[in-house]
Amino acid sequence: MFTQKKDRENNSNLQMEYTRKNIFGWKWVWGGGYSINESVESKSALHYMSIPKLEKVSAPFPMLFGDIIDSTIKRVTVEIKETGKPDTFDVKLVEAGENQRIWYVFLPSSATLPYTIKAYDEKENLLINKDIEEADGFGSLFVGE
């Protein structure tokens, strides 16, 4: 489940909550989120957060998620290099409101860092190519990275 609140202009706040249904109803398992305040001069193209695999908790992690700010981004992938050759995963893009898109991807539990986030325009031109080195990090990516 994703939630987001907009406090101020130029502020992005996205929260991911993983829940599981049991005999008593829905139970919260794990979650995380970020809040990024941007200056007007340095507008990011995409935000991300990485949720690591959890030890001793059955959950579909690792996971990366975020929101897309730049409307020219039409496709996002995440690459991992487990066996020397990169495995590429297309992320799910979700229309979350007017001019707002959220993206997410679940990676295999065997996935190891770094993860490479790539974003493409409608003609499949590469706009962003950035290695993510932190299993539980978050940040902003800019076109040309």
Side-chain angles (χ1 to χ4, degrees):
M1 169 176 46
F2 293 99
T3 61
Q4 186 168 29
K5 66 178 184 177
K6 296 271 185 180
D7 317 21
R8 302 181 307 248
E9 194 172 330
N10 301 322
N11 187 38
S12 181
N13 179 317
L14 185 61
Q15 186 80 22
M16 182 282 305
E17 304 295 345
Y18 178 67
T19 59
R20 184 177 300 133
K21 191 170 187 173
N22 63 26
I23 61 172
F24 301 109
W26 291 96
K27 179 180 171 147
W28 180 84
V29 177
W30 195 253
Y34 59 82
S35 180
I36 298 173
N37 191 9
E38 302 189 69
S39 68
V40 176
E41 303 85 47
S42 64
K43 192 78 169 157
S44 61
L46 179 144
H47 298 142
Y48 75 90
M49 182 166 192
S50 178
I51 303 287
K53 178 182 175 187
L54 303 173
E55 299 300 325
K56 301 178 184 167
V57 176
S58 176
F61 300 125
M63 173 190 190
L64 279 86
F65 70 94
D67 47 357
I68 297 173
I69 311 304
D70 187 332
S71 63
T72 62
I73 294 175
K74 301 300 181 193
R75 181 173 165 246
V76 179
T77 64
V78 175
E79 285 183 1
I80 58 172
K81 297 176 185 135
E82 291 184 299
T83 58
K85 178 182 168 249
D87 289 322
T88 301
F89 299 87
D90 283 316
V91 309
K92 303 280 187 200
L93 298 176
V94 178
E95 297 292 329
E98 187 177 332
N99 299 320
Q100 182 178 13
R101 291 180 294 157
I102 294 172
W103 67 273
Y104 68 94
V105 63
F106 293 103
L107 298 175
S109 61
S110 60
T112 58
L113 292 167
Y115 307 136
T116 303
I117 298 175
K118 295 184 177 187
Y120 302 87
D121 66 12
E122 64 187 19
K123 295 181 180 178
E124 289 295 309
N125 295 313
L126 182 63
L127 301 173
I128 295 171
N129 182 20
K130 179 77 174 176
D131 286 343
I132 305 305
E133 304 282 347
E134 298 174 7
D136 59 355
F138 71 94
S140 299
L141 303 180
F142 300 86
V143 171
E145 281 194 308

